[in-house]
């Protein structure tokens, strides 16, 4: 599988929602919904932040560049004016005076001193013949008869007619520039008038830019050699560690990493004559402090917003998927419960019918056995008679046991039809315990009865009360281990009867207690329907009572059912209660009819 196919499958999986009810399906569903919600929310946020980032950055660069451009252009014009004035002065002298006049040092000295008073920065004057030999000189150095034939500025002057040199050391070993102008005699002889200018004025012009202490400005030639001192790159004649932008008379902006480790925003502009480049640099951190502040704020808002969206998306997804999972399980449990209810209903009706049909033959057996017992009692005593009497007693005992069983089955069958009658709550409890006798013995349960001696009689439905007590006592049996203890007590109170079932089982947490009467809530994953206690609660409430629960983890639980005295239902006409005959006649009446 190629990488493209792999990613295509991963993207397709995000939009796929599997069927089924297993845990993997809900994990898949939760992941897909969470990822989709996060993508729909975070991607537009990131795009908007990225676009705003670039728009603001471009705007800020323009705002930074404009004042820097104005500053370097203004200073460049000052430099050019300064140099142009001196070049004009030298050109005027070369035009106004002849070779013969300038070759006289008295005349050249007089002109030099007058010019020096008018033009700041002049160091000396020199007259050079066509061979490059300086024939006349006025100045502080002893440079007369020096030969400049090999100097670059001399050749440039011969070619261009006038020339302003780069900064160099020369014979005097001091940084300076040369302004030279070519002249001609009447006979056509060529000579050069040279003026030397110190660079102190350059530093003054740069200082007039009024930059802050962290900034830098300097003059360089197009080859990258410093013409003035630089705070960052050193003394004049030092080569710059970065290339200058191409020759352009319009200021251009660029970024430079300086030796001090800072990043600088630089603006450069080229001179028309000479080949100088004026560069001004300011730290980006100072210029763009507002930008960095905004960028940090944007980043924090973006990250914080993305985290918040991610958390909300996954929390909502978790709740949504949990609701879907609960709904699926409730639906599945409801289907199971309906099926179970139908099955129980059928079994109950079948058992009631069987019990009803068995009652009559049992009554006949009981009658016949009793008759045989009476007949034998009239005969003379003999070993055979005694043996027969024991057998008859065994038959009567078995019949009595069958009668008890059918009586219980019919009692439960009656719960399908609500029937209010006067009943003893203690008898109902004993009936229910009759179904649990074998489990008590098998599990060695310490079952204690603390029943009221006053025989609490209330008007209620026997079958529904049996179901209530069977559910509560059955839960107590499930909560305790083998050999555990269950105590059932009943007592009469002012407004009814109270029955309490206490066990020393595992107990329940407060979280479980708050949900135990909710339909389909169960702690028996996979085995319980979660309807037993909710049905119990509903029955008790319909009978006018209430139910309370106390429980503690590791200590056990107490279920307390309070039942009102109630009122007996009015007797219905015989025809309307025909269905009650479903319970069959009382045993004594059947015996009489037989």
């Amino acid at each position: 599988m190629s990488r493209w196919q792999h990613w295509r499958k991963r993207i397709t999986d995000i939009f796929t929602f599997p069927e089924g009810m297993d845990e993997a399906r809900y994990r898949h569903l939760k992941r897909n919904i969470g990822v989709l919600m996060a993508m729909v929310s975070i991607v537009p946020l990131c795009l908007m932040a990225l676009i705003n980032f670039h728009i603001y950055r471009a705007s800020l660069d323009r705002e930074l560049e404009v004042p820097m451009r104005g500053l370097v252009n203004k200073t460049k014009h000052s430099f050019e004016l300064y140099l142009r004035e001196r070049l004009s002065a030298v050109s005027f002298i070369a035009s106004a005076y002849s070779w013969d006049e300038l070759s006289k040092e008295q005349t050249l000295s007089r002109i030099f001193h007058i010019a020096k008073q008018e033009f700041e920065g002049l160091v000396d004057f020199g007259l050079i013949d066509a061979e490059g030999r300086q024939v006349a000189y006025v100045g502080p150095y002893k440079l007369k008869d020096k030969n400049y034939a090999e100097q670059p500025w001399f050749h440039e002057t011969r070619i261009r007619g006038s020339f302003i040199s780069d900064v160099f050391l020369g014979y005097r070993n001091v940084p300076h520039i040369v302004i030279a102008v070519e002249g001609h005699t009447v006979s056509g002889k060529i000579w050069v008038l040279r003026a030397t200018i110190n660079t102190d004025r350059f530093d003054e012009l740069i200082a007039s830019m009024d930059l802050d202490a962290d900034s830098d400005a300097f003059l360089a030639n197009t080859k990258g050699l410093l013409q003035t001192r630089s705070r960052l790159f050193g003394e004049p004649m030092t080569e710059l560690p970065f290339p200058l932008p191409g020759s352009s008379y319009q200021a251009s902006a660029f970024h430079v990493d300086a030796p001090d480790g800072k990043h600088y925003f630089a603006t450069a502009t080229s001179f028309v004559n000479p080949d100088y480049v004026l560069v001004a640099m300011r730290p980006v951190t100072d210029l763009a402090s507002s930008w960095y502040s905004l960028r940090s704020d944007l980043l924090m808002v973006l990250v914080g917003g993305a985290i918040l969206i991610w958390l909300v998306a996954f929390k909502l997804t978790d709740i949504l998927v949990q609701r879907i999972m609960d709904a699926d399980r409730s639906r599945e449990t409801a289907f199971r419960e309906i099926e179970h209810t139908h099955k129980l209903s059928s079994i109950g009706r079948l058992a009631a019918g069987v019990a009803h049909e068995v009652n009559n033959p049992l009554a006949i057996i009981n009658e016949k056995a009793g008759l045989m017992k009476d007949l034998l009692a009239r005969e003379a005593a003999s070993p055979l008679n005694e043996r027969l009497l024991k057998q008859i007693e065994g038959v009567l005992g078995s019949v009595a046991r069958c009668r008890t069983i059918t009586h219980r089955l019919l009692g439960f069958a009656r719960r399908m039809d609500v029937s209010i009658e006067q009943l003893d709550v203690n008898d109902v409890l004993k009936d229910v315990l009759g179904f649990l006798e074998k489990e008590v013995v098998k599990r060695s349960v310490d079952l204690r009865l603390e029943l009221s001696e006053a025989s609490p009689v209330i008007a209620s439905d026997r079958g529904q009360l049996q179901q209530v007590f069977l559910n509560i006592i059955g839960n107590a049996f499930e909560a305790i281990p083998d050999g555990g203890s269950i105590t059932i007590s009943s007592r009469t109170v002012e407004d009814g009867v109270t029955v309490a079932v206490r066990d020393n089982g595992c107990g329940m947490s407060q979280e479980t207690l708050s949900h135990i009467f909710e339909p389909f809530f169960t702690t028996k994953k996979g085995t319980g329907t979660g309807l037993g206690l909710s049905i119990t609660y509903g029955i008790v409430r319909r009978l006018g009572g209430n139910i309370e629960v106390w429980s503690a983890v590791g200590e056990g639980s107490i279920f307390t059912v309070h039942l009102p005295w109630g009122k007996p239902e009015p007797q219905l006409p015989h025809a309307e209660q025909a269905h009650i005959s479903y319970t069959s006649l009382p045993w004594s009446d059947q015996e009489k009819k037989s």
Side-chain angles (χ1 to χ4, degrees):
M1 181 182 293
S2 66
R3 180 169 298 182
W4 162 246
Q5 290 174 329
H6 172 74
W7 283 107
R8 184 179 178 183
K9 182 176 181 304
R10 296 289 297 269
I11 295 174
T12 304
D13 287 344
I14 295 177
F15 296 95
T16 302
F17 298 95
E19 299 294 335
M21 290 185 60
D22 56 341
E23 293 293 332
R25 183 244 184 181
Y26 294 110
R27 287 198 302 271
H28 195 91
L29 191 63
K30 181 179 178 181
R31 184 198 65 186
N32 288 5
I33 295 176
V35 170
L36 287 174
M37 290 179 66
M39 287 177 60
V40 169
S41 304
I42 293 177
V43 170
L45 180 64
C46 292
L47 290 176
M48 185 179 67
L50 189 62
I51 292 172
N52 287 338
F53 180 89
H54 285 286
I55 291 176
Y56 188 82
R57 178 63 184 270
S59 175
L60 183 64
D61 283 346
R62 285 195 297 272
E63 292 296 326
L64 295 175
E65 188 177 340
V66 169
M68 292 287 284
R69 281 175 181 271
L71 182 61
V72 295
N73 282 330
K74 181 180 177 181
T75 306
K76 184 192 77 170
H77 290 316
S78 298
F79 269 101
E80 289 180 333
L81 179 61
Y82 174 78
L83 294 173
R84 193 176 299 120
E85 284 179 344
R86 275 123 191 98
L87 178 61
S88 298
V90 175
S91 297
F92 174 76
I93 294 171
S95 301
Y97 296 91
S98 65
W99 161 264
D100 295 334
E101 292 173 324
L102 293 176
S103 61
K104 298 177 181 177
E105 291 191 351
Q106 293 83 358
T107 304
L108 186 62
S109 176
R110 181 174 55 83
I111 296 172
F112 170 70
H113 288 294
I114 293 173
K116 190 173 183 179
Q117 293 176 359
E118 297 296 330
F119 299 100
E120 181 184 0
L122 280 175
V123 178
D124 56 21
F125 267 175
L127 184 64
I128 303 170
D129 61 15
E131 287 73 27
R133 188 176 66 87
Q134 187 160 253
V135 297
Y137 173 77
V138 178
Y141 302 102
K142 295 179 179 179
L143 299 177
K144 187 176 180 181
D145 297 329
K146 292 290 184 180
N147 194 308
Y148 296 98
E150 301 300 327
Q151 295 293 325
W153 62 265
F154 184 75
H155 289 282
E156 292 292 337
T157 304
R158 293 293 306 275
I159 295 172
R160 301 182 184 181
S162 63
F163 182 70
I164 300 176
S165 73
D166 293 340
V167 176
F168 66 103
L169 299 179
Y171 291 116
R172 65 198 70 184
N173 201 25
V174 174
H176 64 280
I177 66 170
V178 168
I179 298 177
V181 176
E182 186 182 64
H184 301 82
T185 63
V186 177
S187 61
K189 185 178 179 181
I190 296 174
W191 50 271
V192 173
L193 178 62
R194 187 202 68 167
T196 302
I197 309 295
N198 65 37
T199 58
D200 294 343
R201 181 57 182 165
F202 287 8
D203 296 332
E204 293 176 5
L205 289 174
I206 290 176
S208 67
M209 296 174 73
D210 196 22
L211 297 174
D212 54 52
D214 292 332
S215 301
D216 191 18
F218 53 84
L219 202 62
N221 62 15
T222 54
K223 298 176 183 177
L225 291 178
L226 284 174
Q227 303 297 292
T228 59
R229 183 179 177 279
S230 168
R231 186 183 69 82
L232 294 171
F233 303 105
E235 299 298 325
M237 312 302 293
T238 303
E239 186 175 2
L240 291 173
F242 59 90
L244 292 172
S247 178
S248 173
Y249 302 121
Q250 297 294 327
S252 55
F254 56 100
H255 292 262
V256 175
D257 292 323
D260 61 357
K262 294 183 179 179
H263 190 69
Y264 284 81
F265 179 80
T267 306
T269 182
S270 300
F271 287 33
V272 176
N273 183 32
D275 294 333
Y276 291 167
V277 178
L278 178 63
V279 180
M281 301 170 57
R282 296 184 67 180
V284 175
T285 52
D286 296 340
L287 292 171
S289 58
S290 61
W291 156 247
Y292 286 120
S293 176
L294 177 65
R295 187 177 66 176
S296 300
D297 294 343
L298 277 177
L299 186 61
M300 291 178 61
V301 170
L302 178 62
V303 173
I307 293 175
L308 183 61
I309 290 173
W310 193 272
L311 291 176
V312 171
F314 272 86
K315 184 61 179 176
L316 290 178
T317 302
D318 185 59
I319 295 174
L320 178 63
V321 173
Q322 186 63 41
R323 294 286 179 86
I324 294 174
M325 186 166 61
D326 292 342
D328 289 345
R329 287 177 176 172
S330 298
R331 183 184 59 185
E332 182 67 17
T333 304
F335 286 148
R336 290 179 182 175
E337 180 60 21
I338 291 172
E339 182 181 0
H340 183 68
T341 302
H342 280 291
K343 186 181 294 183
L344 289 179
S345 176
S346 300
I347 293 173
R349 291 178 184 279
L350 177 62
V354 170
H356 177 67
E357 294 299 329
V358 168
N359 264 346
N360 290 334
L362 284 177
I364 296 172
I365 293 173
N366 184 68
E367 180 186 359
K368 299 302 182 185
L371 180 59
M372 291 172 63
K373 183 179 179 181
D374 293 341
L375 292 175
L376 286 176
R378 295 176 184 175
E379 298 294 329
S382 66
L384 179 60
N385 288 348
E386 292 179 359
R387 188 174 180 183
L388 290 174
L389 283 174
K390 288 182 180 178
Q391 296 299 323
I392 292 170
E393 290 293 339
V395 172
L396 291 175
S398 298
V399 170
R401 185 179 178 187
C402 291
R403 183 179 58 186
T404 302
I405 294 172
T406 56
H407 178 73
R408 289 172 181 168
L409 287 175
L410 290 172
F412 271 93
R414 279 200 299 270
R415 70 178 178 179
M416 293 181 293
D417 304 310
V418 177
S419 176
I420 302 299
E421 59 181 306
Q422 293 293 115
L423 53 87
D424 189 334
V425 175
N426 290 345
D427 291 341
V428 177
L429 289 170
K430 291 175 182 176
D431 288 343
V432 172
L433 291 174
F435 287 95
L436 302 170
E437 287 177 353
K438 289 187 177 180
E439 188 167 0
V440 171
V441 175
K442 181 180 179 182
R443 296 181 56 190
S444 302
V445 175
D446 181 14
L447 181 63
R448 301 178 183 180
L449 296 179
E450 298 175 356
L451 304 181
S452 171
E453 297 179 354
S455 297
V457 178
I458 62 173
S460 189
D461 184 281
R462 176 182 296 274
Q464 293 196 3
L465 282 184
Q466 286 176 331
Q467 184 175 359
V468 167
F469 294 139
L470 187 60
N471 282 339
I472 294 174
I473 298 173
N475 284 340
F477 271 82
E478 293 177 357
I480 62 172
D482 291 348
S485 173
I486 297 176
T487 302
I488 302 173
S489 61
S490 66
R491 60 187 178 89
T492 57
V493 293
E494 182 178 357
D495 56 347
V497 178
T498 298
V499 177
V501 180
R502 182 173 67 247
D503 66 72
N504 64 347
C506 56
M508 294 177 284
S509 65
Q510 292 299 315
E511 175 67 18
T512 303
L513 274 177
S514 62
H515 297 289
I516 58 172
F517 293 124
E518 294 178 2
F520 307 115
F521 176 81
T522 178
T523 58
K524 310 166 191 172
K525 300 297 183 184
T527 57
T529 62
L531 291 174
L533 285 178
S534 66
I535 292 174
T536 298
Y537 181 81
I539 292 174
V540 173
R541 296 298 296 173
R542 282 197 303 274
L543 294 177
N546 59 60
I547 183 169
E548 298 174 354
V549 185
W550 174 91
S551 185
V553 176
E555 298 183 14
S557 305
I558 301 176
F559 281 76
T560 304
V561 178
H562 178 75
L563 299 169
W565 295 117
K567 295 180 180 179
E569 266 192 347
Q571 294 295 322
L572 295 175
H574 183 72
E576 297 180 8
Q577 60 180 354
H579 66 282
I580 299 178
S581 62
Y582 178 76
T583 61
S584 185
L585 294 172
W587 188 263
S588 57
D589 293 343
Q590 290 181 3
E591 288 179 338
K592 291 177 181 178
K593 283 189 176 183
S594 300

